[in-house]
Amino acid sequence: MAAHLKKRVYEEFTKVVQQQQEEIATKKLRLTKPSKSAALHIDLCKATSPADALQYLLQFARKPVEAESVEGVVRILLEHYYKENDPSVRLKIASLLGLLSKTAGFSPDCIMDDAINILQNEKSHQVLAQLLDTLLAIGTKLPENQAIQMRLVDVACKHLTDTSHGVRNKCLQLLGNLGSLEKSVTKDGEGLAVRDVQKIIGDYFSDQDPRVRTAAIKAMLQLHERGLKLHQTIYNQACKLLSDDYEQVRSAAVQLIWVVSQLYPESIVPIPSSNEEIRLVDDAFGKICHMVSDGSWVVRVQAAKLLGSMEQVSSHFLEQTLDKKLMSDLRRKRTAHERAKELYSSGEFSSGRKWGDDAPKEEIDTGAVNLIESGACGAFVHGLEDEMYEVRIAAVEALCMLAQSSPSFAEKCLDFLVDMFNDEIEEVRLQSIHTMRKISNNITLREDQLDTVLAVLEDSSRDIREALHELLCCTNVSTKEGIHLALVELLKNLTKYPTDRDSIWKCLKFLGSRHPTLVLPLVPELLSTHPFFDTAEPDMDDPAYIAVLVLIFNAAKTCPTMPALFSDHTFRHYAYLRDSLSHLVPALRLPGRKLVSSAVSPSIMPHEDPSHQFLQQSLERVYSLQHLDPQGTQELLELTIRDLQRLGELQSELAGVADFSATYLRCQLLLIKALQEKLWNVAAPLYLKQSDLASAAAKQIMEETYKMEFMYSGVENKQVVIIHHMRLQAKALQLIVTARTTRGLDPLFGMCEKFLQEVDFFQRCFIADLPHLQDSFVDKLLDLMPRLMTSKPVEVVKILQTMLRQSTFLHLPLPEQIHKASATIIEPAGESDNPLRFTSGLVVALDVDATLEHVQDPQNTVKVQVLYPDGQAQMIHPKPADFRNPGPGRHRLITQVYLSHTAWTEPCQVEVRLLLAYNSSSRIPKSPWIEGGEVSPQVETSIEGTIPFSKSVKVYIMPKPARR
Amino acid sequence: MPEIRVTPLGAGQDVGRSCILVSIAGKNVMLDCGMHMGFNDDRRFPDFSYITRNGRLTDFLDCVIISHFHLDHCGALPYFSEMVGYDGPIYMTHPTQAICPILLEDYRKIAVDKKGEANFFTSQMIKDCMKKVVAVHLHQTVQVDDELEIKAYYAGHVLGAAMFQIKVGSESVVYTGDYNMTPDRHLGAAWIDKCRPNLLITESTYATTIRDSKRCRERDFLKKVHEAVERGGKVLIPVFALGRAQELCILLETFWERMNLKAPIYFSTGLTEKANHYYKLFITWTNQKIRKTFVQRNMFEFKHIKAFDRAFADNPGPMVVFATPGMLHAGQSLQIFRKWAGNEKNMVIMPGYCVQGTVGHKILSGQRKLEMEGRQVLEVKMQVEYMSFSAHADAKGIMQLVGQAEPESVLLVHGEAKKMEFLKQKIEQELRVSCYMPANGETVTLPTSPSIPVGVSLGLLKREMAQGLLPDAKKPRLLHGTLIMKDSNFRLVSSEQALKELGLAEHQLRFTCRVHLHDPRKEQETALRVYSHLKSVLKDHCVQHLPDGSVTVESILIQAAAHSEDPGTKVLLVSWTYQDEELGSYLTSLLKKGLPQAPS
């Protein structure tokens, strides 16, 4: 309801803004303000029944109220409140009071007294709860005012004894949010007894209503969040709540225990029923571990998640979580993991083929077996086997976090993670693969583990396979058999799924460079060389052969003895691959081929400084020219743009900056060119035909500015100002051109109006940056604003024209990090001759797979465009779930596009490309009424325009005759 | 004294023939009605004559509850209801109701058609018996009659397996049937809320076992099958038709799907197809994954698993075949085994326990040459693997469930006596809950203390509340009132109202007590001393010294008089009404201690 209300409120508010723009000079708005409360008053007086009054209030709530008139409205509402008998109306009024007190710019301390007053006489529990909520809103609005906070806490304490759970809930919430942080402050409060908020809240841990208990724990957590240090005594109370009957209580209690354990990790607590004592964090860890086998899955998820962040736990406890003593008929049994490890260490690979190799061994002393250990025993074993995948994922995540902080634990949890690779839910499998990658620095895979890991390479899910490739990139393998096994499995994968080619090559590159010494003994076998005979030269285009070569060459980089084992054709193939796949094949120092290596090495060496210097210098050169003759300026600009573009091509790390500045310079160049046109001097009538250039320039500048604003990641506010400024200039140019080409004043009138609105908008958005724009177009424009407002369109155009010509060239400060968004469509591949068949009139699904780089928020901005042969274009919004995020700055779009067309007879090509949708109004600072609330969905989804940012791919499509 | 009585007719310190009689608050319930696999004579069914010597079972039993469709839990049902005679309601879950008759019919066929038994129940009897069944939903509370209600909880184990809570008033018993605390590929884990029953009757098949994680077993199984298939070998998996078979099917099906494998998987037909149909229908009883994905695709609609035909066994190339029966003692699985045993590329995987004497047991114990009928010797060259897939809770799981339900006491059934002993000891030690393990025919009696609801008049409650401090949920409070028992309902009212209702006049009851004080002073002085002493001790009571020389504390009167014989002793007369009993007795004890020495 609240969300709905806020949305409504926002809609109305935007209207108000527009009105303001239309009649800027008038003071009409001021007149309407007092009438708001008056109208409400009249309405409420008119109301004959409570239902009527409620209706009026509901209507009123849809409109926003300005900060100045809030107080008046509040008075009216309060007045009505006293008279009202119906609790539902009072409830609404109470909620309105809360909403109003949140209004920005309104200080609600004046209504607090009234609110507390009406609270004392209120009988209805619901209204009471709502009023307390209002007080909470007021209290949070005035965080500095200690006296008010004290009073509110007092009120809350008074109502804590209420019989309704709702009221108690709100009171506790109030205490949690406003309870005083420091005791010293409370002492000087006028004679009030010093209230120990924690004690008061703690007393309600044993309330009879589970909702109140939950609220009490939440309030305590809130106190902690606000920086109040919780007492350690709470720990015992919270532990009791772990066996509560209600899941929400248990869930909150788990959180509280976690918080306390982080506050007092080192204090000592006794173990009940024994004389021993342990650290609090260990005790808490044990308790939370116990909750992993709770009856409610919500609690289990919560517990599993929190386990991950308890890093101070002693390793002895930590390792227990993976321990589950097996037994069979009271005899000790080894786990499959232990058996596998033993087999491996005894040198015999492959697990037992005999029945009874898991036969139980020694007898167990019945007294020593503990079936429900109080400690952490087997928590993760249970969590990873849980019925709900949410719990399993949480457990895997926790495992990951703990393993990252403890290498020994990482080693131990490996077996369990490997087991998770066979989970039935893909998400869990994926998560565990990612986890393994994150901890791969701490671990070395045993052969049997590697075997299980590699078995997943056959998975039909592409995500899983690619995640696994990434994992293999940073895995440590212990033996040369392991490397061989990995290579064989990867090649198997390659034959089964040829689309994985790139990812497999990349994987082998890292595998090779990480394990040069392990690859070395494998080289003759891999290259199938023979000491005496020449073997047949392998096919150079075979992806599998390339894969093997990538592995070997990367290993050879740090292993100088390896090239000696190469045969002649291997060297030739090296030279070829070094050229064609330079990102996968490193430069090698080959014997007798010094030339090759020396020619290659300098370009590898990064020379960042000189190129960066060059960039700076060329830009400075441009900015320094202010009053060069037009011809010279143009030439210099053209030259610099060319330089920058070339630089971007050469230095990939500077591409973003170079492109960005080149684009800006091009805009400037276009502007200058347009202004240099002779046509400005020509009389208007003659001018009609020649105007294309100027208007085209204006249009292009606009496009380029949109590109600058939305296609680059890392653009900061100071760049945005310049970009907007440039766009404003383009708009001015457009206005002038149209003014010259069109006759009649009517269209011009509207355009002028619009332009001035734009200027106003610019001013409001970038008011903070205006001082930096000294002497610029806008600066001058704003000076003349009052004149422009009143003058006629023709004059406006004239003024603009002169100003545009006088304006100076603004310096574009370079951002720190800037990257151009780019996209490559991997699939459909384009040059396929096999047409996609479909029945015309029905739908055909086209798989699209693309990688996106440096795109911010791709879920909302990236769209797929399909161009049909008849020129019809269709834009498709991919689902948010279609985007994966394999690494920072990278995204991957895997989606299906549905094509459909009715009239279609011949095989034709359909074009597919990716678009970047933008919406410049999203930069508007958000209005206070929707602040903190959710943004209205309309703003989010509306698309102002799109920029194509990938090469288009043609797909051959052939219709089948429809069968009858 | 109210009590709960439990008598196992079967499954007491034994596996098989589950049948437990429970008497709770005058209601008699029979839990499960199974047969014993090990016997072929009268012992295979429970001894129903124990229930009533003479008289009809229907009169004695209020209802029968069947936990799941395994024959050791429902095998004797047609015999019990049709041949012995029982017409009352039989409760079971929907899947059990659907699958149970298939298995009963199969059982009947083997017993009558193959073994040629006479005097066995007929197909018609199975049908008639099933007509008496009332199906229940999970967590649905079913009123059997006005007082007796039952509720089913999810138990895992097999499709439709349930735990039942039997409740009469505030007394309740939970019977678990067979259950599984770790989820598997097609079923979820057992779950129960904190229902705090008086008694929890739990199975204890794996009382002395703590099992390894399921994943290792699954992975091993898949790896073995995968390797054999990649080698081009044939894999035989002997299974029983229902339960584990479906789990293994799902496991292989998803694996085939994931790994894009092409080798065919066959399932020998028979009752499996019918049963698979029910698995498709009762999606809500399966695990999270199947429940969530069935909209796209029902996991039991196997893509890779096809019906088996005898001729397929000779097809070249790799394949996987599930065949019945599970112990390789007869039927299709044995036929296929004989065909494939000679090739070392092939493999047989035994997914469960094999009884001694069966071919399955022989090959598992390493025998490589088997004597078949007709003096043939079969040389087994194929690989023999053993994988244990079992869906019972292990010792930890049982403890976990007991912890979840928080019962007052636990009773173990469906397990071996020796193993039960261990678990019993553990439960008593670690959970501090009394535990029983009766043998068949042995009765366990549990005294209960049912709570009796009493109505309290609002006036009384408010008056009491006004007197004391705030009500504290966790602490008992003393309340004065009169209990009226009328027409089997109880009310607590204030004494005035009780008098009024019963038309009685109020009697004054006064206690008097003499306290001897050694005090040589005069009576008045003694009274004064008493007064000042009491005044100093009882600060929050109203202590007065009346002009006639007596002292009052609230309504308690204290008078001092000289002893008639010994002038050095004074007699204090303390008198109080019945209502002030507490204060009065306190005062006398105070005075008996004597007065403090006067400061003078």
Coordinates of all heavy atoms in Angstrom, one line a residue, chain A residues 349 418-419 421-422 429 433 436 445-461 464-465 468-469 471-472 482 485-490 492-493 496-497, chain B residues 218-220 222-224 226-227 230 255-261:
Chain A
F349 N 45.7 -46.7 -7.5 CA 44.6 -45.7 -7.9 C 43.4 -46.5 -8.3 O 43.4 -47.7 -8.4 CB 45.1 -44.9 -9.1 CG 44.1 -43.9 -9.5 CD1 43.6 -43.0 -8.6 CD2 43.6 -43.9 -10.8 CE1 42.7 -42.0 -9.0 CE2 42.6 -42.9 -11.2 CZ 42.2 -42.0 -10.3
V418 N 34.2 -31.2 -3.9 CA 34.2 -32.0 -5.1 C 33.0 -32.8 -5.2 O 32.4 -33.0 -6.2 CB 35.5 -32.9 -5.0 CG1 35.4 -33.9 -6.1 CG2 36.7 -32.1 -5.2
D419 N 32.5 -33.3 -4.0 CA 31.2 -34.0 -4.0 C 30.1 -33.2 -4.5 O 29.2 -33.7 -5.2 CB 30.9 -34.5 -2.6 CG 31.6 -35.8 -2.3 OD1 32.2 -36.4 -3.2 OD2 31.6 -36.2 -1.1
F421 N 30.0 -31.2 -6.8 CA 30.0 -31.0 -8.2 C 28.9 -32.0 -8.8 O 28.6 -31.8 -10.0 CB 31.4 -31.4 -8.8 CG 32.4 -30.4 -8.6 CD1 32.2 -29.4 -7.7 CD2 33.6 -30.4 -9.4 CE1 33.2 -28.4 -7.5 CE2 34.5 -29.4 -9.2 CZ 34.3 -28.4 -8.3
N422 N 28.5 -32.9 -8.0 CA 27.4 -33.8 -8.6 C 26.1 -33.5 -8.0 O 25.2 -34.4 -8.1 CB 27.8 -35.2 -8.2 CG 28.9 -35.7 -9.1 OD1 28.9 -35.5 -10.3 ND2 29.9 -36.4 -8.6
R429 N 25.9 -26.7 -8.2 CA 27.1 -27.2 -8.8 C 28.0 -26.0 -9.2 O 29.2 -26.0 -8.9 CB 26.8 -28.0 -10.1 CG 26.0 -29.3 -9.8 CD 26.2 -30.3 -10.9 NE 25.6 -29.9 -12.2 CZ 24.3 -30.2 -12.5 NH1 23.6 -30.9 -11.7 NH2 23.8 -29.8 -13.7
I433 N 31.7 -24.9 -7.9 CA 32.9 -24.8 -8.8 C 33.5 -23.4 -8.6 O 34.7 -23.3 -8.4 CB 32.4 -25.0 -10.2 CG1 32.0 -26.4 -10.5 CG2 33.6 -24.6 -11.2 CD1 31.4 -26.6 -11.8
M436 N 35.4 -23.4 -5.4 CA 36.7 -24.1 -5.5 C 37.7 -23.2 -6.2 O 38.9 -23.1 -5.8 CB 36.5 -25.3 -6.4 CG 37.6 -26.2 -6.5 SD 37.4 -27.6 -5.4 CE 37.9 -28.8 -6.5
L445 N 45.1 -30.4 -5.9 CA 44.2 -31.4 -6.1 C 44.9 -32.8 -6.2 O 45.9 -32.9 -6.8 CB 43.4 -31.2 -7.4 CG 42.3 -30.2 -7.4 CD1 41.6 -30.1 -8.8 CD2 41.3 -30.5 -6.4
R446 N 44.3 -33.7 -5.5 CA 44.8 -35.1 -5.6 C 44.3 -35.7 -6.9 O 43.3 -35.2 -7.4 CB 44.3 -36.0 -4.4 CG 45.1 -35.8 -3.2 CD 44.9 -37.1 -2.3 NE 43.5 -37.5 -2.3 CZ 42.5 -37.2 -1.4 NH1 42.8 -36.3 -0.5 NH2 41.3 -37.6 -1.5
E447 N 44.9 -36.8 -7.3 CA 44.5 -37.3 -8.6 C 43.0 -37.8 -8.6 O 42.3 -37.5 -9.6 CB 45.4 -38.4 -9.0 CG 45.8 -38.4 -10.4 CD 47.0 -39.3 -10.6 OE1 48.1 -38.9 -10.1 OE2 46.9 -40.3 -11.2
D448 N 42.6 -38.4 -7.5 CA 41.3 -38.9 -7.5 C 40.3 -37.8 -7.5 O 39.2 -37.9 -8.1 CB 41.1 -39.9 -6.4 CG 41.4 -39.3 -5.0 OD1 42.4 -38.6 -4.9 OD2 40.6 -39.4 -4.1
Q449 N 40.7 -36.7 -6.8 CA 39.8 -35.6 -6.8 C 39.7 -34.9 -8.2 O 38.6 -34.6 -8.7 CB 40.3 -34.5 -5.8 CG 40.1 -35.0 -4.4 CD 40.9 -34.2 -3.4 OE1 41.9 -33.5 -3.8 NE2 40.5 -34.2 -2.2
L450 N 40.9 -34.8 -8.8 CA 40.9 -34.3 -10.2 C 40.0 -35.1 -11.1 O 39.3 -34.5 -11.9 CB 42.4 -34.3 -10.7 CG 42.6 -33.5 -12.0 CD1 42.5 -32.0 -11.7 CD2 44.0 -33.8 -12.5
D451 N 40.1 -36.4 -10.9 CA 39.3 -37.2 -11.7 C 37.8 -36.9 -11.6 O 37.1 -36.7 -12.6 CB 39.5 -38.7 -11.2 CG 39.1 -39.7 -12.2 OD1 39.4 -39.4 -13.4 OD2 38.5 -40.7 -11.9
T452 N 37.3 -36.7 -10.4 CA 35.9 -36.3 -10.2 C 35.6 -34.9 -10.8 O 34.6 -34.7 -11.4 CB 35.6 -36.3 -8.7 OG1 36.4 -37.2 -8.1 CG2 34.1 -36.5 -8.5
V453 N 36.6 -34.0 -10.6 CA 36.4 -32.7 -11.1 C 36.3 -32.7 -12.6 O 35.4 -32.1 -13.2 CB 37.6 -31.8 -10.7 CG1 37.5 -30.5 -11.4 CG2 37.5 -31.6 -9.2
L454 N 37.2 -33.5 -13.2 CA 37.2 -33.5 -14.7 C 36.0 -34.2 -15.3 O 35.5 -33.9 -16.4 CB 38.5 -34.2 -15.2 CG 39.7 -33.4 -14.9 CD1 41.0 -34.3 -15.2 CD2 39.8 -32.1 -15.7
A455 N 35.4 -35.1 -14.5 CA 34.2 -35.8 -15.0 C 33.1 -34.8 -15.3 O 32.3 -35.1 -16.2 CB 33.7 -36.8 -14.0
V456 N 33.1 -33.7 -14.6 CA 32.0 -32.7 -14.8 C 32.2 -32.0 -16.2 O 31.3 -31.4 -16.7 CB 32.1 -31.7 -13.6 CG1 30.9 -30.8 -13.7 CG2 32.0 -32.5 -12.3
L457 N 33.4 -32.1 -16.8 CA 33.6 -31.5 -18.1 C 32.6 -31.9 -19.1 O 32.4 -31.3 -20.1 CB 35.0 -31.8 -18.6 CG 36.1 -30.9 -18.1 CD1 37.4 -31.3 -18.6 CD2 35.8 -29.4 -18.5
E458 N 32.0 -33.1 -18.9 CA 31.0 -33.6 -19.9 C 29.7 -33.0 -19.6 O 28.7 -33.4 -20.4 CB 31.0 -35.1 -19.8 CG 32.2 -35.7 -20.4 CD 32.0 -37.2 -20.6 OE1 31.0 -37.6 -21.2 OE2 32.9 -38.0 -20.2
D459 N 29.5 -32.2 -18.6 CA 28.2 -31.7 -18.3 C 27.6 -30.9 -19.5 O 28.4 -30.3 -20.3 CB 28.3 -30.7 -17.2 CG 27.1 -30.5 -16.4 OD1 26.1 -30.0 -17.1 OD2 27.0 -30.8 -15.3
S460 N 26.3 -31.0 -19.7 CA 25.8 -30.4 -20.9 C 25.5 -28.9 -20.7 O 25.3 -28.2 -21.7 CB 24.5 -31.1 -21.3 OG 23.6 -31.1 -20.2
S461 N 25.6 -28.5 -19.5 CA 25.4 -27.0 -19.3 C 26.7 -26.3 -19.6 O 27.8 -26.6 -19.1 CB 25.0 -26.8 -17.8 OG 25.4 -25.5 -17.5
I464 N 28.4 -24.5 -16.6 CA 29.2 -25.4 -15.7 C 30.6 -25.6 -16.3 O 31.6 -25.5 -15.7 CB 28.5 -26.7 -15.5 CG1 27.2 -26.5 -14.8 CG2 29.4 -27.8 -14.9 CD1 27.2 -26.6 -13.3
R465 N 30.6 -25.9 -17.6 CA 31.8 -26.2 -18.3 C 32.8 -25.1 -18.2 O 34.0 -25.2 -17.9 CB 31.6 -26.7 -19.7 CG 30.9 -28.0 -19.9 CD 31.1 -28.6 -21.2 NE 30.8 -27.7 -22.3 CZ 29.6 -27.5 -22.8 NH1 28.6 -28.3 -22.4 NH2 29.3 -26.7 -23.8
L468 N 34.2 -24.5 -14.9 CA 35.2 -25.5 -14.7 C 36.5 -25.2 -15.4 O 37.6 -25.4 -14.8 CB 34.7 -26.9 -15.1 CG 35.3 -28.0 -14.4 CD1 34.9 -28.0 -13.0 CD2 34.8 -29.3 -15.0
H469 N 36.4 -24.6 -16.6 CA 37.6 -24.2 -17.3 C 38.3 -23.1 -16.5 O 39.5 -23.2 -16.3 CB 37.3 -23.7 -18.7 CG 36.7 -24.7 -19.6 ND1 35.9 -24.5 -20.7 CD2 36.8 -26.1 -19.6 CE1 35.6 -25.6 -21.2 NE2 36.1 -26.6 -20.6
L471 N 38.2 -22.7 -13.4 CA 38.7 -23.4 -12.2 C 40.1 -24.0 -12.6 O 41.1 -23.9 -11.8 CB 37.8 -24.4 -11.7 CG 38.3 -25.4 -10.7 CD1 38.7 -24.8 -9.4 CD2 37.3 -26.5 -10.4
L472 N 40.1 -24.7 -13.7 CA 41.3 -25.4 -14.1 C 42.4 -24.4 -14.4 O 43.6 -24.7 -14.2 CB 41.0 -26.3 -15.3 CG 40.3 -27.6 -15.0 CD1 40.0 -28.3 -16.3 CD2 41.0 -28.5 -14.1
G482 N 48.3 -36.2 -13.6 CA 47.2 -35.3 -13.4 C 47.0 -34.4 -14.6 O 46.0 -34.2 -15.2
L485 N 45.8 -36.3 -17.6 CA 44.4 -36.6 -17.4 C 43.6 -35.4 -17.8 O 42.6 -35.5 -18.5 CB 44.2 -37.0 -15.9 CG 42.9 -37.7 -15.6 CD1 42.9 -39.0 -16.2 CD2 42.8 -37.8 -14.1
A486 N 44.0 -34.2 -17.3 CA 43.3 -33.0 -17.5 C 43.2 -32.7 -19.0 O 42.2 -32.4 -19.6 CB 43.9 -31.8 -16.8
L487 N 44.4 -32.9 -19.7 CA 44.5 -32.6 -21.1 C 43.5 -33.6 -21.9 O 42.8 -33.1 -22.7 CB 45.9 -32.8 -21.6 CG 46.1 -32.5 -23.1 CD1 45.9 -31.1 -23.4 CD2 47.5 -32.9 -23.6
V488 N 43.6 -34.8 -21.5 CA 42.7 -35.8 -22.2 C 41.3 -35.5 -22.1 O 40.5 -35.5 -23.0 CB 43.0 -37.2 -21.7 CG1 42.0 -38.2 -22.2 CG2 44.4 -37.7 -22.1
E489 N 40.9 -35.1 -20.8 CA 39.5 -34.8 -20.6 C 39.1 -33.5 -21.3 O 38.0 -33.4 -21.8 CB 39.2 -34.7 -19.1 CG 39.4 -35.9 -18.3 CD 38.2 -36.9 -18.6 OE1 37.1 -36.4 -19.0 OE2 38.4 -38.1 -18.5
L490 N 40.0 -32.6 -21.4 CA 39.7 -31.3 -22.1 C 39.5 -31.6 -23.5 O 38.6 -31.0 -24.2 CB 40.7 -30.3 -21.8 CG 40.7 -29.6 -20.4 CD1 41.9 -28.8 -20.2 CD2 39.4 -28.7 -20.4
K492 N 38.6 -34.4 -24.8 CA 37.3 -35.1 -25.0 C 36.1 -34.1 -25.0 O 35.2 -34.1 -25.8 CB 37.1 -36.0 -23.8 CG 36.6 -37.4 -24.1 CD 36.2 -38.0 -22.8 CE 37.1 -39.2 -22.5 NZ 36.7 -39.7 -21.1
N493 N 36.3 -33.1 -24.1 CA 35.3 -32.1 -24.0 C 35.2 -31.3 -25.3 O 34.1 -31.0 -25.9 CB 35.7 -31.1 -22.9 CG 34.9 -29.9 -22.7 OD1 34.0 -29.6 -23.6 ND2 35.2 -29.1 -21.7
K496 N 33.4 -33.2 -27.9 CA 31.9 -33.3 -27.6 C 31.2 -31.9 -27.8 O 30.1 -31.9 -28.3 CB 31.8 -33.8 -26.2 CG 30.4 -34.4 -25.9 CD 30.5 -35.2 -24.7 CE 29.2 -35.8 -24.3 NZ 29.2 -36.6 -23.1
Y497 N 31.9 -30.9 -27.4 CA 31.3 -29.6 -27.5 C 32.3 -28.6 -28.2 O 33.1 -27.9 -27.5 CB 31.0 -29.0 -26.1 CG 30.1 -29.9 -25.3 CD1 30.7 -30.7 -24.3 CD2 28.7 -29.9 -25.4 CE1 29.9 -31.5 -23.5 CE2 28.0 -30.8 -24.7 CZ 28.5 -31.6 -23.7 OH 27.8 -32.4 -22.9
Chain B
E218 N 26.6 -42.0 -4.3 CA 26.0 -41.7 -5.7 C 27.1 -41.6 -6.7 O 27.0 -42.1 -7.8 CB 25.2 -40.4 -5.6 CG 23.8 -40.6 -5.0 CD 23.1 -39.3 -4.8 OE1 23.6 -38.2 -5.3 OE2 22.0 -39.3 -4.2
R219 N 28.1 -40.8 -6.3 CA 29.2 -40.5 -7.2 C 29.9 -41.8 -7.7 O 30.1 -42.1 -8.8 CB 30.2 -39.6 -6.6 CG 31.1 -38.9 -7.6 CD 32.1 -38.2 -6.8 NE 32.9 -39.1 -6.0 CZ 33.5 -38.7 -4.9 NH1 33.4 -37.5 -4.4 NH2 34.2 -39.6 -4.2
D220 N 30.1 -42.7 -6.7 CA 30.8 -44.0 -7.0 C 29.9 -44.8 -8.0 O 30.4 -45.3 -9.0 CB 30.9 -44.8 -5.7 CG 32.2 -44.4 -5.0 OD1 32.9 -43.5 -5.5 OD2 32.5 -45.0 -4.0
L222 N 27.6 -43.7 -10.1 CA 27.6 -43.1 -11.4 C 28.9 -43.4 -12.1 O 28.9 -43.6 -13.3 CB 27.3 -41.6 -11.3 CG 25.9 -41.3 -10.8 CD1 25.8 -39.8 -10.6 CD2 24.9 -41.8 -11.8
K223 N 30.0 -43.2 -11.4 CA 31.3 -43.4 -12.0 C 31.4 -44.8 -12.5 O 31.9 -45.0 -13.7 CB 32.4 -43.1 -11.0 CG 33.6 -42.6 -11.6 CD 34.5 -42.0 -10.5 CE 35.9 -42.7 -10.6 NZ 36.7 -42.3 -9.4
K224 N 31.0 -45.8 -11.7 CA 31.2 -47.1 -12.2 C 30.3 -47.4 -13.4 O 30.8 -48.0 -14.4 CB 30.7 -48.1 -11.0 CG 31.8 -48.2 -9.9 CD 31.2 -48.9 -8.7 CE 32.3 -48.9 -7.6 NZ 31.7 -49.3 -6.4
H226 N 29.2 -45.3 -15.6 CA 29.8 -44.5 -16.7 C 31.0 -45.2 -17.3 O 31.1 -45.3 -18.5 CB 30.1 -43.1 -16.2 CG 30.4 -42.1 -17.3 ND1 30.9 -40.9 -17.0 CD2 30.4 -42.2 -18.6 CE1 31.1 -40.2 -18.2 NE2 30.8 -41.0 -19.1
E227 N 31.9 -45.6 -16.4 CA 33.1 -46.3 -16.9 C 32.8 -47.5 -17.7 O 33.3 -47.8 -18.8 CB 34.0 -46.6 -15.8 CG 34.9 -45.4 -15.3 CD 35.6 -45.7 -14.0 OE1 35.5 -46.8 -13.5 OE2 36.2 -44.8 -13.5
E230 N 31.3 -46.6 -21.0 CA 32.3 -46.1 -22.0 C 33.2 -47.2 -22.5 O 33.7 -47.1 -23.7 CB 33.2 -45.1 -21.2 CG 32.6 -43.7 -21.3 CD 33.6 -42.6 -21.0 OE1 34.6 -43.0 -20.3 OE2 33.4 -41.5 -21.4
F255 N 21.9 -38.1 -14.8 CA 23.3 -38.2 -15.2 C 23.4 -38.3 -16.7 O 24.2 -37.6 -17.3 CB 23.9 -39.4 -14.5 CG 25.4 -39.5 -14.7 CD1 26.2 -38.6 -14.0 CD2 25.9 -40.4 -15.5 CE1 27.6 -38.7 -14.2 CE2 27.3 -40.5 -15.7 CZ 28.1 -39.6 -15.0
W256 N 22.6 -39.1 -17.3 CA 22.6 -39.2 -18.8 C 22.3 -37.9 -19.4 O 22.9 -37.5 -20.4 CB 21.5 -40.2 -19.2 CG 22.1 -41.5 -19.7 CD1 21.8 -42.0 -20.9 CD2 22.9 -42.5 -19.0 NE1 22.5 -43.2 -21.1 CE2 23.2 -43.5 -19.9 CE3 23.5 -42.5 -17.8 CZ2 24.0 -44.6 -19.6 CZ3 24.3 -43.6 -17.5 CH2 24.5 -44.6 -18.4
E257 N 21.3 -37.2 -18.8 CA 20.9 -35.9 -19.4 C 22.1 -34.9 -19.3 O 22.4 -34.2 -20.2 CB 19.8 -35.4 -18.5 CG 19.2 -34.1 -19.0 CD 17.9 -34.4 -19.7 OE1 17.5 -35.5 -19.8 OE2 17.3 -33.4 -20.2
R258 N 22.7 -34.9 -18.1 CA 23.8 -33.9 -17.8 C 25.0 -34.2 -18.7 O 25.6 -33.3 -19.2 CB 24.3 -34.1 -16.4 CG 23.9 -33.0 -15.5 CD 24.4 -33.2 -14.1 NE 25.9 -33.0 -14.1 CZ 26.6 -33.4 -13.1 NH1 26.1 -34.1 -12.1 NH2 27.9 -33.2 -13.1
M259 N 25.3 -35.5 -18.9 CA 26.5 -35.8 -19.6 C 26.3 -36.1 -21.0 O 27.2 -36.5 -21.7 CB 27.2 -37.1 -18.9 CG 27.6 -36.8 -17.5 SD 28.7 -35.4 -17.4 CE 29.1 -35.4 -15.7
N260 N 25.1 -36.0 -21.5 CA 24.8 -36.2 -22.9 C 25.1 -37.6 -23.3 O 25.7 -37.8 -24.4 CB 25.5 -35.2 -23.7 CG 24.6 -34.1 -24.3 OD1 23.4 -34.4 -24.4 ND2 25.2 -33.0 -24.6
L261 N 24.8 -38.6 -22.5 CA 25.2 -39.9 -22.9 C 24.1 -40.5 -23.8 O 22.9 -40.1 -23.7 CB 25.4 -40.8 -21.7 CG 26.5 -40.3 -20.7 CD1 26.6 -41.2 -19.5 CD2 27.8 -40.3 -21.5

